[in-house]
Amino acid sequence: TGDVVRDLIRARLPAGRCTAEVVARRMGMEKRTLQRHLASEGVAFLDLVNSVRVELACELLKCRERRLREVAERLGFSEESALSRWFRAQFGQSPKAWRTSAARHAPGSRQAQPAVPDHEQPNCFSDTVSVAGAAELLNSMSKLIPDSDHRVR
């Protein structure tokens, strides 16, 4: 259940409609049933949303040309300032400062490494599904989910 929910969250965040109710409905169940399934796996819906946001933020911010406004929208934030507050709470620094730090940690980077231990650095360089790929995944998954006449466009 958790992996399917994570995939649906990834697909729904950019639309700004990523609630437990919406995800549960896409899975053909009630919100409370979804919460029980997740609880049996030891996870809460909001924890999954936050985890997916962390992964996507890292993925999106690696592209230095991408504007913070676009990153905010893709993560489901209504304003860039909301992204900045959330990001600072998660990483202890602004998105701009994180980008600078991440550039030093990128594979093949010739810049000096910061003095922060590796285990304290955000691990954001793993392979993840792109936002466009998430929408495609949602469309293919919707064939398996009852009441799947809603397609991501």
Side-chain angles (χ1 to χ4, degrees):
T1 303
D3 290 338
V4 173
V5 172
R6 288 177 66 79
D7 291 340
L8 288 168
I9 290 169
R10 277 182 150 275
R12 290 289 181 195
L13 273 176
R17 296 186 326 231
C18 188
T19 64
E21 293 87 0
V22 169
V23 171
R25 189 170 49 242
R26 292 294 293 168
M27 294 178 71
M29 62 179 74
E30 295 294 321
K31 174 186 169 185
R32 185 65 192 121
T33 304
L34 172 63
Q35 291 171 329
R36 279 194 302 273
H37 284 292
L38 292 175
S40 73
E41 296 178 16
V43 68
F45 182 78
L46 290 178
D47 292 337
L48 286 176
V49 171
N50 199 52
S51 174
V52 170
R53 272 193 173 131
V54 166
E55 292 171 8
L56 282 173
C58 294
E59 179 182 318
L60 294 169
L61 287 170
K62 282 192 277 184
C63 177
R64 295 181 65 80
E65 292 79 31
R66 185 170 282 125
R67 304 181 102 184
L68 288 181
R69 177 75 185 140
E70 179 186 351
V71 173
E73 289 172 359
R74 288 189 178 195
L75 295 177
F77 293 107
S78 59
E79 298 179 10
E80 189 178 319
S81 61
L83 165 67
S84 293
R85 283 190 303 275
W86 171 84
F87 198 91
R88 189 173 298 278
Q90 297 302 309
F91 296 96
Q93 59 186 338
S94 70
K96 183 178 178 182
W98 185 90
R99 269 187 170 159
T100 302
S101 175
R104 288 191 294 250
H105 287 86
S109 173
R110 296 172 197 246
Q111 296 181 2
Q113 301 295 313
V116 178
D118 285 341
H119 69 278
E120 293 180 15
Q121 291 295 326
N123 181 10
C124 300
F125 299 105
S126 60
D127 292 330
T128 55
V129 177
S130 68
V131 173
E136 187 176 316
L137 176 64
L138 176 61
N139 284 335
S140 65
M141 287 173 51
S142 66
K143 296 173 187 170
L144 306 172
I145 301 170
D147 189 43
S148 62
D149 57 343
H150 301 91
R151 302 278 190 245
V152 176
R153 298 188 202 311

